[in-house]
Amino acid sequence: MPSPTRLPHPPERSPKRSADPVAPASRPRRPIAALSVGHACVDVYQGAVSALVPFFVAERQYSYAAASGVVLAASLLSSVVQPLFGVLTDRQRMPWLLPLSTAVAGVGIALSGVSRSYPLTLVFVALAGVGVAAYHPESARVARIASRGSHTAMGWFSLGGNVGFALAPVLVTPVVAAGGLRATPVLVVPAAVGTVLTLLALRQGASDPAGARKAAHSAGPDDRRSFLQLTLAIVCRSIVFVVLGGFISLYARQRTGGGATAGAVALFVLYLGGAVGTLLGSRLAARWDRVRVVRWSYVATVFAVAGVVLVPGPALYPFVALTSAGLYIPFSLQVTLGQDYLPSRVGTASGVTLGLAVSVGGVASPLVGALADATSLQAALLPLIALPAVGWLLTRRLPEPPAPSGI
């Protein structure tokens, strides 16, 4: 009896490989979602400083130099202590830092408008900066474990911070416009929400000690030279973003002839464009490697910043949006690149890329403010055009590190 004819099996299709190390189905969405919203709540207080600057100028008659001193107070101490927190989180898990630092950041901004004393205002703003500094290294370490190395999941975590920045002028401007600077205690509300959300994320297992041990065990050799080059590029980006964040409200009023609303809209666009850029960056990194995306984003930012500084009238706003997107496309990618360049020191890498190199741009604010007092605000902003070009030069020969394993 003839045996039945057997149909050949169709060839097995190999699954399409993605540049994202973790398949979508395996991503722990709930802890990342809670961490992302908590990140938004704490970064409201970074954006709040820039949103408060026009009110300090109007209500207390601060000069450009004095106003930029407020920005410096928020960023300088934060820049110094942030790597220290990174080193501590490399040595010991400190998930309790997330709710505590969120509360400290909120209290600092809440008290910043209560006293008319300039030194006390600097102290309270600096306290908020310390809270933000303490939050980022540990939160980035926790998010890396919760995301299992996924660029897209880390993009969502970073997006939370961008949304917090974007919401800052929306929250601050109505409150302070209605009640004056003495109404700043109302601004403690996001900190209360963020504290609850970070506690929820930790209870959902975001800070998994077993995952942390596995990540440390799989760490490869550190590439300190590439990490240094990346850090210098982030510093260039930071100067552009922090200076624009501190002065874009005042500059938009001058260039458009508008009032407080015109300034608040410019600041909102600057921060909202960052949220779009962060998501776009993680998507682009799934198609091309991270270094290439970072490199070309700096090239595009040169032309965008030139438009912000040189184009008058309402046409300023599209260039603000393009600048923000260009500065934030590489944002979460630079965080994971830094972690992959220093795989044995993820907390330190996070403290530098997500903290020190980002906030150190505030050191340049007093120089820009002094130059604006001596010449004009437009003349003081002109040097910003060159900085993204320097960032491109620094990242031009960076290698793409291997994808993390064992997370």
Side-chain angles (χ1 to χ4, degrees):
M1 183 175 179
S3 60
T5 304
R6 293 188 179 182
L7 296 176
H9 291 289
E12 293 185 1
R13 294 182 179 179
S14 58
K16 183 180 178 182
R17 293 188 64 185
S18 170
D20 206 338
V22 180
S26 63
R27 291 174 192 150
R29 295 180 179 179
R30 291 180 62 188
I32 283 292
L35 286 169
S36 180
V37 180
H39 194 187
C41 291
V42 87
D43 273 7
V44 160
Y45 299 109
Q46 287 203 74
V49 176
S50 297
L52 286 169
V53 163
F55 295 99
F56 285 126
V57 172
E59 190 172 320
R60 298 183 182 174
Q61 291 76 50
Y62 286 178
S63 66
Y64 285 135
S68 61
V70 175
V71 178
L72 177 64
S75 58
L76 182 59
L77 188 58
S78 176
S79 301
V80 172
V81 302
Q82 201 140 192
L84 301 180
F85 282 110
V87 172
L88 288 174
T89 58
D90 279 333
R91 295 180 177 178
Q92 184 177 354
R93 293 173 55 251
M94 294 189 292
W96 51 266
L97 262 182
L98 302 189
L100 177 62
S101 58
T102 302
V104 169
V107 169
I109 291 299
L111 295 176
S112 65
V114 173
S115 172
R116 294 190 64 87
S117 165
Y118 184 69
L120 273 180
T121 298
L122 298 184
V123 168
F124 291 136
V125 169
L127 178 66
V130 171
V132 172
Y135 176 86
H136 281 103
E138 180 66 6
S139 68
R141 184 193 68 81
V142 171
R144 180 179 172 91
I145 294 169
S147 69
R148 301 178 188 173
S150 165
H151 304 324
T152 303
M154 284 297 290
W156 282 106
F157 168 71
S158 298
L159 174 66
N162 306 147
V163 170
F165 266 115
L167 289 177
V170 177
L171 296 173
V172 170
T173 300
V175 169
V176 183
L181 287 169
R182 288 190 174 274
T184 54
V186 176
L187 301 176
V188 78
V189 172
V193 175
T195 300
V196 172
L197 285 171
T198 52
L199 289 170
L200 178 63
L202 295 176
R203 289 192 64 180
Q204 289 174 344
S207 183
D208 175 23
R213 286 193 298 269
K214 188 183 287 186
H217 181 72
S218 65
D222 292 340
D223 184 352
R224 296 183 181 181
R225 180 177 179 179
S226 294
F227 182 78
L228 176 60
Q229 289 179 249
L230 177 69
T231 299
L232 293 175
I234 299 174
V235 168
C236 292
R237 174 212 169 273
S238 169
I239 293 173
V240 176
F241 186 78
V242 174
V243 170
L244 284 180
F247 292 105
I248 194 65
S249 291
L250 297 171
Y251 191 63
R253 293 188 194 190
Q254 293 179 8
R255 301 294 281 178
T256 64
T261 301
V265 168
L267 194 59
F268 177 74
V269 170
L270 180 70
Y271 293 156
L272 184 63
V276 175
T278 299
L279 282 182
L280 182 59
S282 63
R283 298 291 182 183
L284 292 174
R287 183 179 293 265
W288 295 287
D289 63 69
R290 290 170 290 176
V291 172
R292 185 184 303 180
V293 174
V294 168
R295 186 185 306 132
W296 286 107
S297 69
Y298 280 119
V299 173
T301 305
V302 174
F303 300 99
V305 175
V308 170
V309 178
L310 301 174
V311 172
L316 166 82
Y317 293 108
F319 284 103
V320 172
L322 290 173
T323 296
S324 180
L327 291 172
Y328 267 96
I329 282 174
F331 185 73
S332 65
L333 307 182
Q334 289 172 151
V335 174
T336 59
L337 278 171
Q339 292 172 336
D340 291 344
Y341 286 141
L342 292 185
S344 68
R345 300 180 182 182
V346 169
T348 301
S350 303
V352 172
T353 57
L354 197 58
L356 170 64
V358 174
S359 57
V360 77
V363 177
S365 291
L367 301 177
V368 174
L371 183 58
D373 286 331
T375 55
S376 70
L377 187 52
Q378 184 181 30
L381 295 178
L382 275 172
L384 299 183
I385 299 172
L387 289 174
V390 177
W392 172 77
L393 288 172
L394 288 165
T395 58
R396 196 164 64 94
R397 296 188 181 278
L398 282 182
E400 176 71 21
S405 61
I407 294 178

